[in-house]
Amino acid sequence: MGGGKSSTISAIRFISMLLIVTCHIFQYYDNPLCRWLNVGVQIFFIISGFLYASKTIYDPIDFFKKQIRKILPSYYVFLVFAIIMYVVFCRDILTVSTVIKSLFCVGTIKGLGHLWFVGYILFCYFLTPYLCSFRDSIKEKKMLTKIVYYIGLILFVQVIGFLLSSYFLPDRIACYIIGFVLADLYRTLTRLESVIMDGILILIGIVLNVIRGYMEYNGIEISQTLVNAYVRYAHLFLGLSIFLILKIILANIKYNYLYNWSDKYSYHFYIVHLLFILSPFTLMNVTGFAPINCVLAVFASLISAVILFQVTSIVAKK
């Protein structure tokens, strides 16, 4: 999900993957903590934007073709397998509409709702050449002016997103753009300025989510539309705060086998994991002992991720 090698980013990617799996396991058990743990994908978006900020894109069409070749083959290999499984074992859940929407990355099949990510990340990649052009157009500006321009860009995308909210949620796209902006600003900020910026953003994340927690647990009754919008953006800042805290804590961590595995298979693991947790083919009820079920689901996801990677590699070569 992005280019370049960084032990810190690899470690954050691995932790994000753990957060995603833990969130979905908690969701299976209807544990309300799943709403707070559900920040792994936001962090993935931030990571991707962060990594692509250093790119110079000379041919936008070629760039987008490369991203499609990176994202869609694994998605379609898994989707074909999943559709066959649904047709054979639970055809009543499957509809022509959901299959068509899944094929075009504008909808998901029941039990595989996490695949919304694919359409969103492709849209973010589509935006990347424009973000790079915007970055280059303001590179000579003073830092404060640059920040104002970037804030304006993020707000503009959010306004457009609200107008098109039936197609995509703009806060998810904002995660990618924020990651991109942060990486660009870090290149010109001094260490002290970077620390101050990180501290301000983390503080905003904490304040927003303390208010969110108060609202949720004290039953504050206001417009549900406003509540949903507030929660989504508080959640965005929660993911951003976690990313920044992990970036600070893991700044000098060494690259190891786990991070290498995560770099190689995290996308494939993400694609397959919900099949074994929240779909009709869940392994979370195989035994009467929850920890064993969790281990089985994670182990099946690990093996399936490697198989998906290998099968996709073979298919892509043909």
Side-chain angles (χ1 to χ4, degrees):
M1 302 193 185
K5 285 281 186 179
S6 162
S7 56
T8 300
I9 294 298
S10 296
I12 296 173
R13 181 187 287 114
F14 177 73
I15 292 170
S16 300
M17 188 171 65
L18 294 180
L19 284 171
I20 289 169
V21 175
T22 305
C23 162
H24 288 141
I25 289 173
F26 275 48
Q27 187 178 346
Y28 176 83
Y29 291 112
D30 291 323
N31 190 312
L33 283 176
C34 69
R35 295 198 302 272
W36 294 90
L37 292 170
N38 187 25
V39 292
V41 178
Q42 280 79 5
I43 297 173
F44 267 126
F45 276 119
I46 294 169
I47 289 172
S48 292
F50 194 88
L51 293 175
Y52 278 109
S54 60
K55 281 190 172 294
T56 299
I57 300 173
Y58 299 102
D59 186 340
I61 294 176
D62 182 62
F63 168 80
F64 193 55
K65 284 181 178 178
K66 287 180 180 177
Q67 305 318 308
I68 288 175
R69 288 195 293 268
K70 182 172 68 175
I71 295 296
L72 287 186
S74 298
Y75 171 73
Y76 282 129
V77 168
F78 173 76
L79 194 60
V80 168
F81 170 77
I83 290 171
I84 292 172
M85 291 283 287
Y86 274 78
V87 168
V88 173
F89 298 105
C90 47
R91 186 177 298 181
D92 56 315
I93 293 178
L94 207 61
T95 67
V96 174
S97 174
T98 55
V99 170
I100 293 174
K101 287 181 178 179
S102 294
L103 290 172
F104 287 95
C105 302
V106 293
T108 58
I109 296 170
K110 186 177 180 180
L112 301 175
H114 69 304
L115 295 179
W116 64 263
F117 171 82
V118 175
Y120 274 78
I121 196 64
L122 285 175
F123 184 75
C124 289
Y125 289 150
F126 174 77
L127 289 179
T128 302
Y130 301 100
L131 291 175
C132 290
S133 295
F134 186 82
R135 174 202 64 198
D136 295 340
S137 70
I138 64 171
K139 65 180 179 181
E140 301 300 329
K141 302 286 185 183
K142 292 183 179 180
M143 180 53 60
L144 186 58
T145 305
K146 228 171 151 178
I147 292 173
V148 170
Y149 270 96
Y150 272 134
I151 291 173
L153 173 65
I154 294 169
L155 291 176
F156 173 75
V157 172
Q158 302 316 292
V159 171
I160 297 299
F162 279 120
L163 297 176
L164 302 173
S165 57
S166 59
Y167 298 97
F168 71 89
L169 296 174
D171 54 285
R172 294 170 176 175
I173 307 300
C175 290
Y176 183 88
I177 299 175
I178 288 171
F180 185 99
V181 170
L182 283 176
D184 184 44
L185 293 179
Y186 284 138
R187 285 199 292 269
T188 50
L189 289 173
T190 65
R191 183 173 178 79
L192 178 60
E193 289 170 336
S194 297
V195 170
I196 292 172
M197 182 176 71
D198 288 351
I200 292 171
L201 291 172
I202 291 169
L203 181 61
I204 291 172
I206 291 172
V207 171
L208 289 177
N209 282 280
V210 167
I211 296 171
R212 171 190 170 189
Y214 180 81
M215 289 168 59
E216 289 189 359
Y217 296 111
N218 287 276
I220 304 297
E221 294 187 10
I222 55 177
S223 165
Q224 194 57 48
T225 301
L226 289 176
V227 170
N228 290 339
Y230 180 84
V231 168
R232 288 203 305 272
Y233 283 95
H235 206 61
L236 182 162
F237 272 94
L238 178 61
L240 177 60
S241 298
I242 292 172
F243 171 81
L244 293 173
I245 291 169
L246 289 175
K247 182 175 67 69
I248 295 167
I249 294 174
L250 304 173
N252 299 311
I253 199 164
K254 293 182 178 180
Y255 199 73
N256 61 40
Y257 173 79
L258 282 177
Y259 305 149
N260 180 60
W261 191 97
S262 175
D263 289 342
K264 189 174 183 179
Y265 297 112
S266 60
Y267 173 62
H268 302 84
F269 183 87
Y270 178 82
I271 289 291
V272 303
H273 81 281
L274 212 65
L275 185 71
F276 304 105
I277 300 175
L278 291 175
S279 84
F281 309 102
T282 180
L283 298 179
M284 298 297 291
N285 54 12
V286 173
T287 74
F289 193 48
I292 291 178
N293 296 335
C294 293
V295 170
L296 286 173
V298 171
F299 183 73
S301 299
L302 293 172
I303 298 300
S304 298
V306 175
I307 293 173
L308 178 60
F309 177 87
Q310 298 297 335
V311 171
T312 303
S313 299
I314 294 170
V315 170
K317 289 178 181 178
K318 294 184 177 180

